[in-house]
Amino acid sequence: MVSGGGYQGKTECVCEIAAAFEERWLALHDYLNPDARPGSRDLHIPVAYVQTPVTAKPKSTCKAILNFFDAPIDTRPDLPDLIRQVTASLRDHGTKVLILDDITRLRMHRADDQDTLDLIRAFMSMNVTLVLVGVDMPGSGLLREGRHEPATGQWRLPPSRHAKAHGLEATQTERRFDLIELDRFHYSTAPQISAWVQHLHGVQSGLRLLDAGPGMLTEGTMPEYLYHRTNGVVGLLERLIEDGCREAIDSGRERLDEEILEHIAIDLRDSDRRDAGAGEVPNVPEKPAPRQRSRRGRNTVFDDRGPLGTAQEGAQ
């Protein structure tokens, strides 16, 4: 399970890792399905990515998985048939990893959502690695009945409310999973500032503005300014830089600076496709007033109350 706040790059991180695994797996087997069966489709898909439906039910979750494989679905299928189809699709396509994104859209006070979670746990018996991605997993209720084992750093799930889930043994009692927390960047100590600037270096290296200098995002007050505008959330930073580059190109300036970015409002224009109630849409920080931004370098560190001093002092 990969947990974190909205727009913190959880999906991109998981998909990058899954893509690297898929490429290595395909190369290892000469791009052929090592478990192919006679008469099955020869399309080999080691990794499947599916978004959890906003109002998830066992049937709609199965249909979402089958839609990924472009599998035919009966007009009025019953749940056991859908589960059998999902099992067959995962097997026939040689799928090793099933990613279910936005899993915290499930609400444990709804019976349908509880049944969907039981179904997802039953997927563990399908010979695939299950990767669940969501916002604030510990606070969502999905782990409410789980037990954390400090010795292993893993979570153990209790038995399902049902002995079997439509013929699939729900063996999550003996199954364990790792909970990985992805946090936003912080700006309170020297190592945190260094990590933020290093990330800005990576972003800067991918920009193709004609007048972009080597320290366009990483020198002077820019690291501090960008942190204040985005609160260290990589998705907000990406949106601000993208819109800023468009403005820099349209205006002919071909570089980013605070003057350009000052006129850019961070617009979460795709937020209507996200579930705000599940924490998928973060709060956008207000633009700092000009009088609040003195000419400090990136060594100034901050906490919730304001500047603390230099990075060295913050580290001490």
Side-chain angles (χ1 to χ4, degrees), residues 140-156:
S140 67
L142 294 178
L143 305 180
R144 182 176 53 193
E145 300 173 351
R147 178 168 58 88
H148 186 262
E149 296 182 341
T152 62
Q154 296 178 315
W155 290 76
R156 181 187 289 271

Side-chain angles (χ1 to χ4, degrees), residues 11-27 31 46-49 97 99:
T11 298
E12 184 173 354
C13 179
V14 169
C15 287
E16 285 284 345
I17 295 171
F21 161 76
E22 181 174 74
E23 181 60 32
R24 293 178 184 178
W25 181 266
L26 290 171
Y31 295 85
V47 177
Y49 171 85
V97 177
I99 301 171

Side-chain angles (χ1 to χ4, degrees), residues 7-312:
Y7 280 79
Q8 285 187 1
K10 302 179 298 301
T11 298
E12 184 173 354
C13 179
V14 169
C15 287
E16 285 284 345
I17 295 171
F21 161 76
E22 181 174 74
E23 181 60 32
R24 293 178 184 178
W25 181 266
L26 290 171
L28 179 65
H29 297 285
D30 297 324
Y31 295 85
L32 299 175
N33 185 353
D35 301 318
R37 301 187 178 193
S40 65
R41 295 177 62 182
D42 60 353
L43 185 60
H44 189 191
I45 307 178
V47 177
Y49 171 85
V50 177
Q51 275 192 307
T52 305
V54 175
T55 305
K57 296 182 180 180
K59 282 189 176 182
S60 63
T61 303
C62 287
K63 288 180 180 179
I65 297 173
L66 294 174
N67 285 335
F68 173 84
F69 292 107
D70 197 22
I73 303 175
D74 294 337
T75 307
R76 300 183 64 182
D78 57 18
L79 184 56
D81 286 339
L82 286 172
I83 293 176
R84 281 192 291 269
Q85 279 189 274
V86 169
T87 304
S89 291
L90 293 173
R91 180 193 64 236
D92 293 345
H93 291 84
T95 302
K96 299 300 178 183
V97 177
L98 174 60
I99 301 171
L100 293 177
D101 201 357
D102 299 324
I103 192 64
T104 43
R105 290 176 175 177
L106 298 180
R107 302 289 194 274
M108 292 302 96
H109 65 277
R110 298 193 294 233
D112 286 336
D113 293 40
Q114 293 176 19
D115 291 339
T116 302
L117 182 59
D118 284 340
L119 173 66
I120 292 172
R121 289 172 175 175
F123 287 163
M124 293 179 181
S125 64
M126 291 184 180
N127 242 355
V128 297
T129 297
L130 196 61
V131 180
L132 307 181
V133 184
V135 175
D136 187 18
M137 292 278 197
S140 67
L142 294 178
L143 305 180
R144 182 176 53 193
E145 300 173 351
R147 178 168 58 88
H148 186 262
E149 296 182 341
T152 62
Q154 296 178 315
W155 290 76
R156 181 187 289 271
L157 290 173
S160 171
R161 295 183 296 109
H162 310 291
K164 291 179 178 290
H166 303 285
L168 294 174
E169 188 68 29
T171 58
Q172 73 273 13
T173 305
E174 299 303 324
R175 305 273 182 168
R176 296 176 179 179
F177 61 87
D178 291 318
L179 177 64
I180 301 173
E181 287 279 355
L182 296 184
D183 197 4
R184 63 183 178 87
F185 282 93
H186 293 272
Y187 208 85
S188 299
T189 66
Q192 291 172 349
I193 294 175
S194 177
W196 174 247
V197 174
Q198 184 178 4
H199 180 71
L200 294 179
H201 269 294
V203 173
Q204 182 176 270
S205 65
L207 301 182
R208 295 296 180 265
L209 297 175
L210 296 179
D211 292 334
M216 182 175 64
L217 301 183
T218 58
E219 294 182 357
T221 60
M222 277 297 282
E224 178 182 323
Y225 174 79
L226 291 172
Y227 183 83
H228 276 300
R229 289 296 309 273
T230 63
N231 202 26
V233 178
V234 294
L236 299 184
L237 175 68
E238 179 182 355
R239 192 61 57 85
L240 177 63
I241 295 298
E242 179 182 323
D243 292 345
C245 286
R246 186 177 292 109
E247 176 64 24
I249 293 172
D250 291 342
S251 64
R253 298 182 64 174
E254 291 290 341
R255 66 172 286 107
L256 290 178
D257 53 32
E258 293 183 31
E259 183 179 352
I260 286 181
L261 296 177
E262 192 69 28
H263 301 286
I264 303 296
I266 299 178
D267 179 20
L268 304 183
R269 48 186 170 269
D270 63 346
S271 60
D272 57 332
R273 295 181 292 154
R274 297 171 178 258
D275 186 357
E280 295 174 13
V281 181
N283 294 324
V284 178
E286 294 183 2
K287 291 190 296 184
R291 60 182 177 82
Q292 292 177 327
R293 290 187 284 107
S294 61
R295 291 293 170 181
R296 289 184 294 268
R298 68 167 178 263
N299 288 332
T300 304
V301 299
F302 281 78
D303 66 2
D304 294 336
R305 297 165 295 179
L308 294 174
T310 65
Q312 184 176 2

